[in-house]
Amino acid sequence: MKKWFNMDKEVIRHGLKLHLLLLTMAGNYFKHILLTLTRALVVLVGLASLAQARIIRIEITSVQSPTFEGKAFGRVGAYDKLRGKAYGELDPNSPQNALITDIGLAPRNAKGMVEYSMDIYILKPIKLANGNHKLFLEINNRGGKLFGGFNKSSGGNDPTTADQAGEGFLMNMGYTMAWNGWDCSATSANNNLTISVPVAKNTDGSSITGPSYEYIVYDNATALSYSLAYPAATLTKSQATLTVREHLQDTASVIPANEWEYVNERTIRLLPAGTTFRQSAIYEFNYTARDPIVAGVGFAATRDFVSFLRYAIADDFGNPNPLAGDVRYTFSYSLSQPARYVNDFQTLGFNADEQNRRVLDGIENWLGGGSGIGLNVRFAQPSRTERNRQNHLYPEGLFPFAYPVMTDPLSGKTAGRLARCSASNTCPKVFEINSANEYWVKAASLLHTDSKGNDLPDPENVRFFLVSGAQHGTGNGATRGLCQQLQNPTNADPVLRALFVALDEWVTKGTVPPASAVPRQSTGTAVVATPQPGSQTGLISQAALGWPTIPGVAYTGGITTRYLLDFGSSFEKGFITKFPTVVAERPIYVNFVSKVDKDGNELAGIRLPPVAVPTATTTGWALRRAGFGENDGCEGSGQNIPFKTTKAERLSTNDPRLSLQERYETHDGYVKAIQKSVQTLTAQRFLLPEDAQQYIKSAQDSPILR
């Protein structure tokens, strides 16, 4: 038997593939014999892999075949929908897993393994042979699925109808799509994907305790209580602090102990009972929490799920891999929070499975900035995100920000996102795509500079793109929400589709991708932020940016600045041992944004028609309106500030920006300008021909200068 254990696992897998092929050809008698042999080989694979982390069991709990009401997608045909759970085991002593914070203090099964389970979801061609043998893994956002933008569909968190499949961009090309739970803070509501990970305990079985921090803002005047991320270790109020301030730059005031209380170990409220939290005021709560979950298991879960789908024939119990033998290439797509997750996934080396095989071949990250997610720390809160007004003291904006390995002059650390994958030869091809909002509120320029703001050459396997003038996602151009101006409706989906095709061709054919398009110091398109002493934000001066003075539009120049944070002496191990603070000298990481033209539209990056052929000034930043923290940053929102139609209208309001009539003269002039813009973008491979035509049609149908 020892000889069997030491057999090359690839030989065993090829044997399993042959057996599965023969099963489709054999009669019932031979099927019985072959199934017996297959199960025996599965057991041998399991025995040979006992020391390795993997998916040990997969349960498909429901199959809808076909899904999307039987809709067929070109030559690929109809799709199956599979829902279920996957169960995994991690060896806490394995070097690949030992870096997971608190895994050494997690409960173990009889084999000495740490267990977890997660929801899984798969959409695949009914006939896999008709597909393109490529896996599209969407890293879900707080448990939700967001693939609708790719497919020009209504999406939904359990896409089932033909309408929810939309135009089927991914399905028409034959991709199999998969999702798995990874976010320990996600709930199961609305078909969200969840993961179950263990709670860490001290070696004597007692609860682990430590400092935890909550940033609390309610943009309403009705909130009566707040739910804590972790239970309080003690309800003694003297061991906790609640503060409040109206604006980000105000000095926080401590709320006396007789003006708040614990409702229970997971909830606080203001006193007297019935007192509401002040609308849009910033509350912060420091307290001692207990029972941290081993949140970093979420990285291993994705690694092992993709590895299983790509390389396995069956699980340890003989349950078949629904994609066995099919997957040749793997890609991930992430939007916002999960893009930051993928940043850390790379930095921590999870793109190599425990047999040092590449997990993801291509990564498209959208709206991740240069940030991580703070998942691999004690008392993690991965649902949080830092922006110019929120969550400044979470472990998100930490070195390394960039891909190349370098030494950080502020912390003295040497690191880079490429360090671990370079050592294991498992680096993926990566597109880091960000909106203007990420440059203004998440310091995205640090992705492609050193800590002092100097440009870095692109790594061989990474390209960087700014979608000029866009906010964090697509805004409603007809409403302003909490902000002073209308939100920015610039839609980046056409760019994301085109770049995903370019990424696929880079990975599968070696086709050289489009060149990076971001602000650079070397091209004169970068405007460096100036730190403000005693402030949590920096400043972009109006003159340096080139921002026009637009009547009725406020400009403060506030921008997120990355400071060196202090989480205590044990933070290298993922342990936060003190309430987080900014290092006293306030050393900063230099960051910048794109300069703007005379209209206020950004010069650098991918200038989609709303920027290249504008009808308004579009920005990635915005300011909160009165009653909601006026003039503080409006987080993920941008602005849409329309041009006047005629010269007389703009002169009557002293608007320095040319009117629509002065720019394009007629409706046909506007349409021709759009046509020229999309021709350029298509040639640069930033637009697909079908999306280019849609821009032209929208311009033709628009009321502009009619």
Side-chain angles (χ1 to χ4, degrees):
M1 291 296 292
K2 184 175 181 180
K3 180 180 178 181
W4 279 99
F5 292 168
N6 294 327
M7 280 184 64
D8 181 75
K9 297 181 186 67
E10 293 304 315
V11 174
I12 296 174
R13 288 186 180 87
H14 286 304
L16 287 169
K17 289 179 184 179
L18 177 60
H19 279 292
L20 291 173
L21 177 62
L22 290 173
L23 279 171
T24 65
M25 304 168 59
N28 289 335
Y29 176 73
F30 292 106
K31 285 185 181 180
H32 174 75
I33 294 174
L34 288 168
L35 280 170
T36 301
L37 289 171
T38 299
R39 287 168 181 151
L41 283 169
V42 168
V43 171
L44 288 171
V45 172
L47 290 171
S49 305
L50 280 178
Q52 294 180 343
R54 67 197 188 285
I55 301 300
I56 62 165
R57 181 161 57 98
I58 184 170
E59 291 181 353
I60 302 302
T61 56
S62 71
V63 177
Q64 188 177 71
S65 182
T67 191
F68 302 129
E69 299 174 316
K71 181 175 182 177
F73 300 93
R75 64 168 185 80
V76 180
Y79 267 66
D80 281 337
K81 177 170 68 176
L82 283 62
R83 302 180 65 172
K85 294 187 76 71
Y87 299 82
E89 288 184 347
L90 300 174
D91 178 0
N93 298 314
S94 165
Q96 290 96 327
N97 300 324
L99 53 74
I100 297 174
T101 298
D102 281 330
I103 194 169
L105 296 175
R108 307 184 188 190
N109 63 20
K111 293 181 288 185
M113 299 291 185
V114 175
E115 298 179 345
Y116 67 91
S117 64
M118 60 182 167
D119 299 322
I120 59 173
Y121 195 104
I122 298 171
L123 295 171
K124 70 175 188 66
I126 291 177
K127 295 181 179 179
L128 283 173
N130 291 351
N132 64 8
H133 315 296
K134 300 170 185 176
L135 180 71
F136 177 94
L137 177 81
E138 186 192 11
I139 314 292
N140 68 82
N141 188 307
R142 294 169 176 83
K145 308 172 192 69
L146 300 168
F147 82 124
F150 269 83
N151 292 308
K152 302 181 183 179
S153 73
S154 60
N157 217 17
D158 184 23
T160 301
T161 67
D163 179 65
Q164 288 173 321
E167 295 182 12
F169 174 81
L170 294 168
M171 288 79 90
N172 285 322
M173 290 189 289
Y175 285 94
T176 290
M177 290 153 279
W179 295 259
N180 68 283
W182 64 266
D183 182 351
C184 55
S185 65
T187 68
S188 59
N190 190 34
N191 292 299
N192 282 344
L193 297 160
T194 63
I195 186 170
S196 177
V197 300
V199 174
K201 297 285 186 180
N202 289 315
T203 54
D204 62 1
S206 61
S207 290
I208 294 172
T209 64
S212 189
Y213 165 78
E214 303 276 356
Y215 179 95
I216 307 167
V217 173
Y218 286 110
D219 288 315
N220 61 66
T222 60
L224 294 171
S225 63
Y226 179 81
S227 298
L228 304 175
Y230 290 90
T234 173
L235 302 187
T236 303
K237 291 194 288 184
S238 62
Q239 296 187 32
T241 304
L242 179 64
T243 65
V244 66
R245 50 188 160 146
E246 294 297 326
H247 294 89
L248 183 66
Q249 306 303 345
D250 294 344
T251 300
S253 300
V254 175
I255 297 177
N258 64 351
E259 294 182 12
W260 70 273
E261 69 175 356
Y262 286 103
V263 178
N264 53 50
E265 63 180 11
R266 296 296 292 260
T267 310
I268 62 171
R269 67 180 177 187
L270 300 178
L271 293 175
T275 301
T276 60
F277 287 84
R278 300 208 298 265
Q279 178 173 286
S280 299
I282 300 170
Y283 294 84
E284 293 169 287
F285 187 60
N286 290 322
Y287 71 109
T288 301
R290 64 172 174 81
D291 295 334
I293 55 178
V294 189
V297 166
F299 290 119
T302 296
R303 173 197 67 190
D304 295 344
F305 178 57
V306 177
S307 181
F308 178 85
L309 294 179
R310 183 170 194 172
Y311 299 113
I313 298 300
D315 67 17
D316 291 13
F317 298 85
N319 301 310
N321 172 5
L323 307 182
D326 181 67
V327 179
R328 299 174 190 169
Y329 297 100
T330 55
F331 299 88
S332 74
Y333 167 73
S334 308
L335 184 156
S336 191
Q337 179 224 28
R340 294 184 287 112
Y341 164 90
V342 173
N343 283 342
D344 282 350
F345 183 89
Q346 296 181 80
T347 303
L348 295 170
F350 284 100
N351 204 47
D353 71 8
E354 290 210 10
Q355 295 184 53
N356 273 330
R357 298 170 301 191
R358 184 182 293 110
V359 176
L360 295 170
D361 296 316
I363 291 172
E364 182 168 282
N365 267 0
W366 168 229
L367 304 177
S371 303
I373 195 170
L375 183 69
N376 195 38
V377 297
R378 183 172 284 180
F379 296 111
Q381 297 187 49
S383 64
R384 299 282 185 176
T385 189
E386 176 190 0
R387 292 197 178 96
N388 49 8
R389 193 188 191 251
Q390 66 190 54
N391 299 327
H392 279 234
L393 299 181
Y394 284 94
E396 173 185 319
L398 305 175
F399 180 85
F401 306 99
Y403 280 80
V405 177
M406 55 189 172
T407 299
D408 175 21
L410 275 63
S411 66
K413 298 176 184 176
T414 298
R417 299 209 189 281
L418 291 176
R420 293 182 184 270
C421 72
S422 296
S424 60
N425 195 31
T426 56
C427 292
K429 300 288 196 296
V430 184
F431 283 173
E432 290 279 5
I433 313 167
N434 285 284
S435 74
N437 184 262
E438 274 62 55
Y439 280 79
W440 278 86
V441 309
K442 296 187 81 69
S445 65
L446 287 167
L447 269 171
H448 46 82
T449 72
D450 63 19
S451 300
K452 296 182 179 180
N454 300 308
D455 294 336
L456 292 171
D458 289 349
E460 290 184 0
N461 66 313
V462 188
R463 297 294 181 270
F464 306 97
F465 303 98
L466 159 67
V467 179
S468 304
Q471 70 172 47
H472 186 84
T474 304
N476 184 339
T479 62
R480 58 179 178 157
L482 304 177
C483 311
Q484 296 177 14
Q485 306 297 328
L486 297 175
Q487 292 186 8
N488 186 341
T490 303
N491 185 348
D493 287 342
V495 169
L496 300 178
R497 283 190 287 270
L499 285 177
F500 185 75
V501 171
L503 177 64
D504 183 314
E505 293 175 346
W506 191 17
V507 168
T508 63
K509 300 177 183 178
T511 305
V512 177
S516 294
V518 291
R520 304 273 195 190
Q521 301 255 32
S522 58
T523 61
T525 54
V527 186
V528 176
T530 302
Q532 301 299 293
S535 170
Q536 292 193 40
T537 61
L539 179 68
I540 298 288
S541 78
Q542 184 172 350
L545 182 65
W547 178 256
T549 299
I550 305 173
V553 178
Y555 179 85
T556 66
I559 180 174
T560 293
T561 302
R562 289 276 184 255
Y563 290 98
L564 185 63
L565 298 176
D566 181 7
F567 295 97
S569 59
S570 297
F571 188 65
E572 285 296 306
K573 299 178 181 179
F575 306 145
I576 297 176
T577 55
K578 59 174 289 187
F579 296 122
T581 58
V582 176
V583 172
E585 296 79 15
R586 301 186 79 82
I588 66 160
Y589 297 97
V590 177
N591 63 302
F592 53 72
V593 299
S594 171
K595 284 186 178 179
V596 300
D597 61 22
K598 59 186 178 181
D599 296 321
N601 287 317
E602 292 188 320
L603 291 169
I606 302 171
R607 289 166 56 95
L608 287 171
V611 175
V613 189
T615 60
T617 298
T618 57
T619 72
W621 58 271
L623 301 175
R624 282 174 166 252
R625 60 186 171 93
F628 296 91
E630 186 174 13
N631 285 338
D632 274 0
C634 208
E635 284 91 16
S637 296
Q639 299 177 109
N640 182 62
I641 310 164
F643 299 147
K644 303 300 183 183
T645 301
T646 67
K647 180 177 181 179
E649 287 176 321
R650 79 169 180 88
L651 290 177
S652 68
T653 59
N654 295 316
D655 191 332
R657 304 168 300 158
L658 293 179
S659 67
L660 294 174
Q661 202 172 69
E662 291 172 287
R663 292 167 191 274
Y664 310 117
E665 295 186 354
T666 65
H667 177 76
D668 286 344
Y670 171 68
V671 173
K672 287 178 181 178
I674 291 289
Q675 289 173 327
K676 183 178 179 180
S677 171
V678 300
Q679 286 171 357
T680 299
L681 290 166
T682 303
Q684 295 171 325
R685 297 166 65 201
F686 292 140
L687 279 185
L688 299 175
E690 56 266 34
D691 286 323
Q693 288 303 311
Q694 185 58 53
Y695 273 117
I696 295 171
K697 184 178 185 304
S698 295
Q700 291 170 336
D701 294 343
S702 75
I704 302 296
L705 294 175
R706 282 193 181 275

